[in-house]
Amino acid sequence: MSSSKASKQKPCQVCNRSASAPPGSSSIHYEKSWFYRHCSSLQQRDRQAQKSGRLFSGLLAMNVVFLGSAFISSMIFNHVAITLADVWILLSILKLLCLCWIVYYLLGTSRQPHAVLYRDSHAGAIWIRGSLLLFGTFSILLNVFQIGYSVIQINCKSKVEIVFPSIEIVYVATQAFFLWHHSKDCIQVQHNLTRCGLMLTIATNLLLWLLAVTNDSIHMEIESQLREVEQRLAGSNETDSCTCPNTTTCKVFQKGYILLYPFNTEYCLICCSVLYVMWKNVGRRISHHHIPHIKPKFKLHGVVFGPLLGATAVIIGICVFMMYQIQATGSAPNYQVFVLYYSYYIVLLPLMCMCAVVGTIIHALEKREVDTLKNPTRSLDAILLMGAALGQIAMSYFSIVAIVATDPKDMLNSLILSSSVLLIFQYVTQSIFIIDGLQRQPFAETKISPSKEEEVNEEQHNHEAQDQRRMSVLELGQEFRRVSLSYIHTYSHLSWKRKALKEISFFLVLCNIILWIMPTFGAHPAFENGLQKSFYGYSTWFAIVNFGLPLSVFYRMHSVGGLLEVYVSA
């Protein structure tokens, strides 16, 4: 009886489930289907293969980086056993391997059927690819100048110093072309080979950056050698065959090499970041709801005070930079020029800190939702910002310790101490503001009503008819007044939060541009003022500056891209 009752109750339970379930779903039971279990195992195998491929390619890159670092470190500490030519030979082999893989990817992998079914819209932003082309062009010119400088001194230069820059030119040009066209690819074939090729290229770029950082003192060494040679030759007729002859061509190659040297380090870091995003996107499948239908565009409407204050900061910064370069390039740097340089930082950095804090508060007050979708590019932006900020923060703390331990009451020392503390606060507050802004969804654009659109079209038609006639002075004034009123009308329709975010973002963009220009083109007071160098010693402080300064320059450039995205999303 109990079994018969149970058998009678089971259909009722099934009927109740089917009645409560949505229509069309009661007849399909995926949890009991062999096909579903088979598909789930395939999904698990795919995930396991993805993890294994990433692990293997990561181990490959780690071993290559350790091998190259051992070569470079041995070159630094033992010039006899391992020379710079040996390091160049190793890097040339790695670059040739990377070139073979890039050519294979361009001609083989990317052209296979169903190879690139998805493209990451967040990866390879136009400012990143533009920076790649700009710095890649400068890197090619740098190698051209190096080849010319070595050819002039062919008597005391090895052939490796001519072959290595030649391979570098081909490598930089091919890699820039590859990243410009394929930085958004989510490759769906040959996963393991693609991951290993990308990681090998990342490791090669890291080693090139490490070599460039260790040799960043070349411009200081060349200038000091030139001064010593000039002083020696002033009292004697002896000549050195390994010095740059007193010709215009040699001077151009030498100065061009010194000027363009920092751009090579920036190019290597940007390539590493783009290649890492491509590595994360290998085998990635993007659903349609992850693809943004409307992409915000960069418009200058709605900002007034930000461009004005930012342009003022840029103009003053250029004047300070020019005065510093004129004074610091002399035989004895002037005490006043260091005071002027650090005073500019002390005035500008508190404004940037205040703007970043206000922007972060506005992000907390606004009602925009946080974008929780998985995005490798956004995650990498946050990692790069915080990682690159460590360079300047480390330099600032070392400077604080050196000043407090020596003489903090001196005027120049107090200025350096204040600027070091302000730099730490500015890096932290700006990084928080950018990361918080990148995680917010963009504002929804308000559409113009049909009646207003007809009025605008009619007004544009009238003005086009007026433009056909020759404008008088009065008509020019009316046209200027119309454009000004249109700009003010657009600005007044924005909410105060959007206005403030746009003003703050644009101001910080211009400030970071001038703070990127000054150290990139040769203003290095942290090394030239002599305070930290005398406290820590030449070798120790040189290593600290060569580690922190390129990261600081990269942080400024990367912050410009992040702030532009915050500006556009607002």
Side-chain angles (χ1 to χ4, degrees), residues 371-563:
D371 191 1
T372 57
L373 295 178
K374 187 178 180 180
N375 188 347
T377 306
R378 186 175 57 212
S379 302
L380 180 64
D381 287 337
I383 294 173
L384 287 177
L385 277 175
M386 298 307 297
L390 295 178
Q392 181 60 54
I393 291 176
M395 289 176 59
S396 298
Y397 277 118
F398 277 104
S399 299
I400 291 172
V401 173
I403 294 168
V404 172
T406 53
D407 186 13
K409 296 182 180 180
D410 182 71
M411 180 179 179
L412 180 60
N413 292 352
S414 61
L415 290 175
I416 299 174
L417 178 63
S418 302
S419 64
S420 299
V421 174
L422 289 173
L423 276 171
I424 295 173
F425 281 104
Q426 195 273 323
Y427 270 69
V428 173
T429 54
Q430 180 175 274
S431 300
I432 294 173
F433 171 66
I434 295 175
I435 293 172
D436 196 10
L438 291 177
Q439 293 177 349
R440 303 281 176 170
Q441 293 183 354
F443 279 102
E445 295 291 335
T446 56
K447 297 183 179 180
I448 303 175
S449 60
S451 59
K452 289 186 177 180
E453 188 173 359
E454 291 178 0
E455 292 177 2
V456 172
N457 292 333
E458 184 178 356
E459 186 178 359
Q460 290 179 352
H461 178 72
N462 294 334
H463 282 285
E464 288 176 359
Q466 291 178 3
D467 290 339
Q468 295 177 357
R469 303 190 304 270
R470 187 175 183 179
M471 282 190 175
S472 61
V473 178
L474 180 61
E475 289 173 343
L476 285 174
Q478 292 177 353
E479 183 71 15
F480 179 77
R481 181 174 176 273
R482 184 187 68 83
V483 173
S484 302
L485 290 176
S486 175
Y487 185 85
I488 295 173
H489 179 73
T490 305
Y491 181 75
S492 62
H493 275 274
L494 295 174
S495 63
W496 69 270
K497 296 178 184 178
R498 296 183 65 181
K499 291 178 186 177
L501 287 177
K502 283 182 174 289
E503 301 284 4
I504 290 171
S505 301
F506 207 94
F507 172 72
L508 291 178
V509 164
L510 295 178
C511 291
N512 279 275
I513 287 176
I514 187 60
L515 294 181
W516 171 78
I517 290 175
M518 296 174 77
T520 300
F521 289 95
H524 301 150
F527 195 84
E528 294 165 353
N529 59 31
L531 173 65
Q532 299 93 332
K533 184 167 58 176
S534 61
F535 182 82
Y536 291 105
Y538 180 87
S539 301
T540 304
W541 183 243
F542 174 75
I544 295 171
V545 171
N546 276 347
F547 169 76
L549 190 61
L551 290 178
S552 175
V553 172
F554 179 76
Y555 175 86
R556 294 298 178 188
M557 185 201 62
H558 196 72
S559 296
V560 170
L563 289 167

